[in-house]
Amino acid sequence: MIVSRRSYMLPTIILICLTYILFSSLPPGAETPYGHHHHDHHHSDEQQHQDHRVRWHKHAEQYPIYDYIPLPSAPSSPIPRVQYKFPKESWFAKWGRTKRQRAVKKAFKHAWKGYKENAWLRDELSPLSGGHRETFAGWAATLVDSLDTLVIMGLTDEFEEALEAIEQIDFTTTDAIQINVFETNIRYLGGLLGAYDLTHGKYPILLQKATEIADMIYACFDTRNRMPQSRWEWTRSAGGLSIEPSRNTILAEIGSLNLEFTRMSQLTKDPKYFDAIQRITDFLEETQPKTKVPGMWPMMVNARDLELFDPRFTIGGMADSTYEYLPKEHMLLGGQTNQYRRMYDSFMKAMKSRLLFRPMTEDGRDILFAGNVHAGSGKTTLEPQWEHLKCFLGGTVGVGSKVFNRPEELSIARKLVDGCVWAYDVMPTGIMPEILHLAVCPDAENCTLPKNSHSEDPDTYAESIAQGKKLPPGVVDIPDPKYLLRPEAIESVFIMYRITGDKTLQDDAWRMFQNIERMTRTAYGHAAIADVRDPASPLMDYMESFWLAETLKYFYLTFSEPDLVNLDEYVL
């Protein structure tokens, strides 16, 4: 998503492309995901039972707000320069760069064509069968989520055709029993606001539809303590019944609503959206020093009783975007409050001291990863696990080092980015898996694996040999070998390139793109990979909206001219 700040003192735009998608199982007691999967791509049944569906109607609030928290009104603080000052490009360099950029655009057009011809106005294309899936309330998630990419790539005809299509989307009803508010927020509200800001308000339909969806999901905050019901029982609200937040709420689902809701208040001048998310922010700041890992929040939050007892702490899935949004919201608000600076400072202290580790590699490479912490029974244990979802961290720390004037942390950001590139390069397919476990360096002087040794647990190694899928040196285990077309790694490569100007990062990105394109391309689009350890891996019949909305966008921007989504005008 891209959110414009041109009407504010600092002329920036927020580009929000979450990296966080839940594919792991929820813990016991968590609310169950919703969604219906359909593989018939014919649209003749679209009007069936329309008159009998429950529709959203606004009712008087059960717990109304009479005094909204307003947007901050203090003078804006200057945001330090983020982007590297690029010199003039040579003819030869431009030729090579644009050749790569055209290849990315060609991949996007191929997948967009498959979506348009086989899954138009559906949530997702099924890229192997040519069918479709309804995974996010059935409101054309891929179409809406990809609007800003269409603008960035200059696909004007496709964009205007998509604008005509979104007029048909009825945000007042869905077959889903529950609405995942987080996913709805980032894919729909984010997609609409991003396109609206990129086109400088030229298309009012975008803000109109954004307001429709924002007003609907705003009702999930109508609870006793104004914490949202993240898996919203929307039919209860539509019927005027009360709802409760869950005692098992995923941290990222409660802590990652602020950018879009803040932007809604900025654009519409309606304070209710900002009020809703500011109450969450105040709760998070108040509890931040009181958790079992002070400075961080656990994976699960008891939003009903406002308690934080879960002993699991991570910057990965179920938590990631809560931390990612700290510098972003600071920028969106023009530095008018130091709240997010304080929260980021506390987070970085905890993350650096408790989660960061250097892995053992064959060449003793100086790279970093962030593991997980279990803080139960008075003992804190580090799990050296890394996820593709965690690859957002390098870009976030890089941006934070600039906007919060923490130059000493830029080297940490670069080592995190290089770690993700390494995780791509060591795999037989050249693609990083969903989850891997690494061997931790015993100390700073002992970080190189002995020659002809295997860091794996003997039993795990024997099993991998039996499967014909040897683990790369330094990798202890790969519990989830899939690649789901995720954007987090290339997002951070792009940000680090724009911050440092280091063109070797463009070479890294090109290598990543070529491997992904080679492994995932199908007749209808691009498909997720079942096992990145296997160069002949079978594919899986789904293509999430973030492939077009984020992954290919970041590849394209990595090979664009520096002023396209300039980091001093845009914030990722």
Side-chain angles (χ1 to χ4, degrees), residues 480-500:
D480 189 345
K482 296 189 291 293
Y483 172 64
L484 304 175
L485 305 174
R486 290 200 187 277
E488 293 79 18
I490 183 55
E491 177 183 7
S492 284
V493 169
F494 161 67
I495 293 173
M496 191 54 55
Y497 165 65
R498 289 290 187 85
I499 288 176
T500 65

Side-chain angles (χ1 to χ4, degrees), residues 84-391:
Y84 178 77
K85 190 173 182 179
F86 286 86
K88 185 176 180 180
E89 188 177 32
S90 69
W91 176 88
F92 183 75
K94 181 178 181 180
W95 175 82
R97 174 182 60 76
T98 55
K99 182 179 179 181
R100 293 174 172 182
Q101 189 183 45
R102 286 194 298 270
V104 176
K105 186 174 182 177
K106 182 178 179 182
F108 178 92
K109 292 176 73 173
H110 169 69
W112 181 260
K113 180 175 183 287
Y115 173 74
K116 178 183 173 182
E117 293 180 352
N118 299 279
W120 193 240
L121 284 173
R122 305 293 189 176
D123 280 347
E124 295 174 359
L125 169 71
S126 298
L128 298 180
S129 62
H132 69 268
R133 306 195 318 158
E134 303 292 26
T135 47
F136 300 106
W139 294 323
T142 295
L143 188 156
V144 177
D145 204 8
S146 304
L147 289 170
D148 61 346
T149 309
L150 293 171
V151 176
I152 288 170
M153 291 188 177
L155 298 171
T156 305
D157 291 343
E158 290 86 346
F159 176 70
E160 293 186 348
E161 186 176 24
L163 284 182
E164 294 180 6
I166 67 170
E167 295 189 34
Q168 303 175 42
I169 301 174
D170 183 359
F171 286 124
T172 68
T173 189
T174 173
D175 288 331
I177 298 173
Q178 294 179 337
I179 290 177
N180 186 318
V181 176
F182 168 77
E183 298 289 359
T184 302
N185 182 59
I186 62 171
R187 298 185 195 242
Y188 294 112
L189 186 55
L192 293 163
L193 290 175
Y196 181 81
D197 283 333
L198 269 181
T199 55
H200 312 300
K202 181 180 177 181
Y203 301 96
I205 182 64
L206 293 166
L207 184 56
Q208 174 189 325
K209 285 292 183 179
T211 304
E212 287 179 15
I213 191 67
D215 281 349
M216 183 183 185
I217 63 176
Y218 176 77
C220 79
F221 292 89
D222 187 16
T223 65
R224 174 179 48 82
N225 59 12
R226 300 303 297 187
M227 293 295 109
Q229 186 185 60
S230 62
R231 304 300 175 95
W232 179 35
E233 299 170 290
W234 72 277
T235 56
R236 287 185 59 85
S237 297
L241 302 176
S242 63
I243 57 172
E244 291 273 2
S246 173
R247 289 191 172 95
N248 292 287
T249 298
I250 293 169
L251 173 62
E253 293 188 358
I254 196 173
S256 308
L257 305 173
N258 43 358
L259 290 170
E260 292 85 352
F261 271 61
T262 294
R263 188 59 185 150
M264 282 299 300
S265 283
Q266 290 176 341
L267 289 172
T268 66
K269 312 304 180 187
D270 188 335
K272 70 181 182 184
Y273 309 109
F274 180 74
D275 173 272
I277 58 90
Q278 186 58 36
R279 293 172 188 274
I280 297 173
T281 301
D282 290 342
F283 163 68
L284 292 176
E285 184 182 32
E286 179 186 354
T287 57
Q288 192 175 14
K290 302 175 184 178
T291 68
K292 294 180 180 179
V293 178
M296 298 184 66
W297 303 277
M299 291 170 60
M300 301 298 294
V301 176
N302 180 344
R304 185 176 301 183
D305 303 316
L306 299 181
E307 295 175 340
L308 300 170
F309 291 138
D310 187 0
R312 298 167 298 171
F313 293 79
T314 182
I315 55 93
M318 302 172 69
D320 49 358
S321 47
T322 298
Y323 302 107
E324 179 186 2
Y325 282 13
L326 296 177
K328 293 179 179 180
E329 181 74 355
H330 176 81
M331 299 182 76
L332 182 58
L333 293 171
Q336 292 177 289
T337 170
N338 279 319
Q339 184 175 31
Y340 289 93
R341 183 192 297 270
R342 294 192 301 268
M343 295 168 75
Y344 183 81
D345 179 65
S346 295
F347 158 62
M348 286 299 293
K349 287 178 182 176
M351 194 269 292
K352 289 190 294 184
S353 64
R354 307 290 287 273
L355 271 69
L356 277 189
F357 68 92
R358 182 179 172 186
M360 297 182 73
T361 63
E362 281 190 303
D363 56 2
R365 191 170 307 191
D366 190 7
I367 54 179
L368 290 173
F369 296 93
N372 303 331
V373 165
H374 191 281
S377 303
K379 183 180 179 182
T380 299
T381 306
L382 173 68
E383 177 192 17
Q385 179 246 46
W386 187 249
E387 307 169 36
H388 198 288
L389 281 165
K390 292 180 178 179
C391 281

Side-chain angles (χ1 to χ4, degrees), residues 418-445:
D418 288 344
C420 288
V421 173
W422 173 85
Y424 269 74
D425 287 340
V426 296
M427 294 297 156
T429 56
I431 302 171
M432 179 184 173
E434 273 287 285
I435 302 175
L436 67 163
H437 292 175
L438 301 162
V440 181
C441 296
D443 54 67
E445 305 300 323

